[in-house]
Amino acid sequence: MDNLNSSPSPVLRDAFSSGKTKPYSFRLLQLNAILQMLEEHEADFIEALNKDMFETVLSEMITVKNEFLILSVCAFLPQISLLDNCFVQKEPVGVVLIVGGWTFPIEQSLIPMIGAVAAGNCVILKPSENSSQAANLLQILLPQYMDTVSKKGGMMIKTSIFLHICVSWFPGDRTIGKQVLQVAAKKLTPVSLVLGGKNPCYVDKLCDLRVAARRIAWARFINAGQNTLAPEYVLCHPDLKERLIHELRNCVREFYGHNPRESPDYGRMACTEQYQRVKDLLSTGQVAFGGETDDGDLYIAPTVLTDVQEPDAIMEHEILGPILPILTTQTLDEAIDFINKRDRPMTIYVYSGNQEVISQIMHRTSSGSFCSNDSMIQNLNTSLPCGGIGNSGIGIYRGKYSFNTFSHRRACVLRTTTAECVTHLRYPPYTEKTPEHGLSNDAKHDHV
């Protein structure tokens, strides 16, 4: 592991070239070290997350531990081919750059790192400065538990860092994602991007509205809405809108009380810049409930907006905050057309008791993932990949998909020279040949 920002150190490249990261025993040792670090310092991580987000996100610890379990148990099964001696060998790509995300600073740093380490790579880890407490804790603890060749802080996305990078993993918005691609392209460095997007949530008349509201509210307002998989807007029939708003308001009161600002379970914006950006979005449409802010506390209340128009800024950019616009459509076809007119999102949600409605949306739209009658739950399943499509991201990760992302699949054929009686047919001259044609006396004798 390395925490560099400039070009990777020769020590790191030499460490990979020595082959020390390739043995199964070394990889498992490093993965066990990550798990040990999490178990011994769980209280420290929770405290750091509280200081960064003012909210304890236990799901971060759980998902990282699940990632360890799936890769430490399953990633190193022998590659046994049933087709004679033809097989695919997975080998590490080399030095991997992982830039951690700020919305889930532990998860979005360690989960891709676990995949890269499991595949046998050297890793340059750059946690997000927007979650400074979590980033500092990772930089302090990881060298105490893992094999570390260099400890340096700070990094800028510039051409030099990609000089000896084999794969990079980056979460962020589309603007920065395009910049990363441009820089990486100069060195032909493969890049995996998790960019988010406008995740639609269709609420059908035939659904349990109270359950739907609970699950939507939980996903939208957890971490104060700072989550790329949260529902970005709701589409529903006009007759359903007021009832849905009523249920959402009840859910917010149930989760956070009558004043969410006083709830220990409700978060704050990660930084002043993020706070001001999300606060400006409150001028869109009409506030159905919520809308309160506090500049000194970086607080934005759980908010539902109505009368939002398609060209409004809140419908053009990812919210990453505790605001949920509700738009109406008359028919299912109209809702599907609305979704398909926009860039393909990270995920699509639909709440309905009608399987035909679910099937129609799933098969007539495209997204990084899809979930019916719940929100964000697909991200907790380590057997499923996580990632976007089109403008919402490039590449996938989680579990075995992380292992594959950070591995080169090498096609291998191991042959002998005893089958020349058959393979000689490929040699010129291309005239009719007998099985013995072109064979040496020894080969003919072997054939007989």
Side-chain angles (χ1 to χ4, degrees):
M1 186 202 75
D2 196 358
N3 294 43
L4 278 189
N5 181 13
S6 56
S7 185
S9 65
V11 177
L12 189 64
R13 296 195 301 273
D14 292 344
F16 179 76
S17 298
S18 71
K20 68 181 297 183
T21 66
K22 292 185 178 181
Y24 167 79
S25 58
F26 180 85
R27 305 186 201 188
L28 192 58
L29 182 65
Q30 301 305 299
L31 294 177
N32 280 321
I34 295 175
L35 181 63
Q36 182 182 357
M37 177 189 70
L38 292 174
E39 291 179 341
E40 292 182 356
H41 294 276
E42 183 166 309
D44 296 326
F45 280 110
I46 292 173
E47 181 182 359
L49 290 168
N50 281 333
K51 290 179 179 178
D52 279 331
M53 298 289 192
F54 303 92
E55 178 182 0
T56 298
V57 188
L58 290 176
S59 61
E60 286 227 69
M61 310 301 291
I62 295 171
T63 53
V64 172
K65 289 179 181 179
N66 285 343
E67 196 77 6
F68 161 81
L69 291 173
I70 191 70
L71 282 171
S72 64
V73 173
C74 301
F76 308 107
L77 295 178
Q79 301 271 346
I80 300 176
S81 173
L82 299 178
L83 299 176
D84 196 17
N85 54 353
C86 301
F87 58 94
V88 174
Q89 179 190 54
K90 292 183 180 179
E91 58 183 25
V93 295
V95 179
V96 172
L97 167 65
I98 294 174
V99 180
W102 60 269
T103 54
F104 287 96
I106 305 300
E107 174 185 321
Q108 290 185 337
S109 292
L110 293 188
I111 284 183
M113 179 179 173
I114 287 171
V117 170
N121 299 286
C122 287
V123 177
I124 301 175
L125 176 64
K126 170 62 176 63
S128 172
E129 295 95 341
N130 285 341
S131 302
S132 59
Q133 296 293 324
N136 290 338
L137 187 59
L138 284 172
Q139 291 178 341
I140 292 171
L141 291 180
L142 280 172
Q144 299 177 21
Y145 286 83
M146 301 188 69
D147 187 87
T148 306
V149 297
S150 179
K151 295 189 297 179
K152 294 183 181 179
M155 185 184 70
M156 296 174 60
I157 300 298
K158 54 186 180 181
T159 304
S160 61
I161 194 170
F162 291 98
L163 183 59
H164 298 286
I165 294 295
C166 299
V167 172
S168 65
W169 187 91
F170 174 84
D173 61 35
R174 298 178 188 179
T175 301
I176 299 179
K178 291 177 181 178
Q179 295 173 357
V180 171
L181 275 178
Q182 290 173 351
V183 173
K186 295 178 181 179
K187 300 300 177 182
L188 296 180
T189 302
V191 177
S192 287
L193 299 174
V194 181
L195 302 180
K198 301 298 295 181
N199 305 322
C201 178
Y202 180 74
V203 180
D204 186 40
K205 285 184 175 181
L206 296 177
C207 76
D208 187 323
L209 199 59
R210 174 170 168 73
V211 171
R214 285 170 62 87
R215 296 178 181 182
I216 293 170
W218 170 77
R220 177 68 273 180
F221 301 128
I222 188 174
N223 248 21
Q226 297 165 109
N227 182 358
T228 58
L229 287 174
E232 282 279 310
Y233 62 93
V234 169
L235 296 173
C236 67
H237 192 275
D239 295 343
L240 198 63
K241 184 178 76 171
E242 292 304 323
R243 291 170 51 206
L244 177 59
I245 292 172
H246 174 74
E247 292 294 346
L248 288 169
R249 181 186 289 110
N250 288 342
C251 290
V252 169
R253 290 174 179 171
E254 177 186 348
F255 295 165
Y256 308 115
H258 287 278
N259 186 1
R261 183 182 304 172
E262 299 176 355
S263 171
D265 299 313
Y266 186 71
R268 300 296 190 270
M269 296 292 98
C271 61
T272 303
E273 181 182 4
Q274 170 72 358
Y275 167 80
Q276 191 58 54
R277 185 190 63 80
V278 176
K279 180 182 177 181
D280 291 344
L281 297 177
L282 291 172
S283 60
T284 305
Q286 299 294 321
V287 174
F289 68 80
E292 298 85 7
T293 63
D294 186 333
D295 294 357
D297 196 24
L298 302 184
Y299 168 80
I300 298 178
T303 302
V304 167
L305 297 179
T306 60
D307 299 331
V308 173
Q309 304 302 311
E310 190 173 349
D312 290 342
I314 200 169
M315 295 302 297
E316 293 296 325
H317 305 286
E318 191 174 13
I319 298 172
L320 289 177
I323 304 175
L324 182 64
I326 296 182
L327 294 84
T328 59
T329 56
Q330 293 290 338
T331 66
L332 176 62
D333 287 340
E334 185 181 336
I336 292 174
D337 289 342
F338 186 93
I339 294 171
N340 287 336
K341 283 192 304 182
R342 315 181 72 80
D343 292 332
R344 289 178 289 182
M346 276 283 289
T347 188
I348 293 175
Y349 301 112
V350 53
Y351 287 83
S352 178
N354 186 335
Q355 290 302 313
E356 179 61 25
V357 170
I358 295 172
S359 179
Q360 285 284 322
I361 294 181
M362 183 170 66
H363 289 102
R364 293 171 59 189
T365 62
S366 177
S367 58
S369 63
F370 179 89
C371 183
S372 66
N373 293 313
D374 211 334
S375 298
M376 300 204 317
I377 199 70
Q378 73 274 20
N379 193 44
L380 300 178
N381 190 330
T382 55
S383 67
L384 296 175
C386 181
I389 182 173
N391 285 337
S392 60
I394 299 173
I396 55 178
Y397 72 109
R398 297 303 305 273
K400 66 179 182 181
Y401 302 99
S402 293
F403 187 90
N404 289 336
T405 291
F406 300 116
S407 297
H408 167 61
R409 287 170 285 282
R410 186 185 193 187
C412 299
V413 178
L414 304 182
R415 306 198 73 187
T416 68
T417 59
T418 58
E420 190 68 6
C421 59
V422 176
T423 59
H424 83 281
L425 297 173
R426 72 188 182 198
Y427 305 140
Y430 299 112
T431 57
E432 186 174 352
K433 302 176 183 179
T434 63
E436 290 82 12
H437 181 79
L439 298 183
S440 66
N441 289 332
D442 290 342
K444 291 178 181 179
H445 183 269
D446 291 341
H447 175 62
V448 174

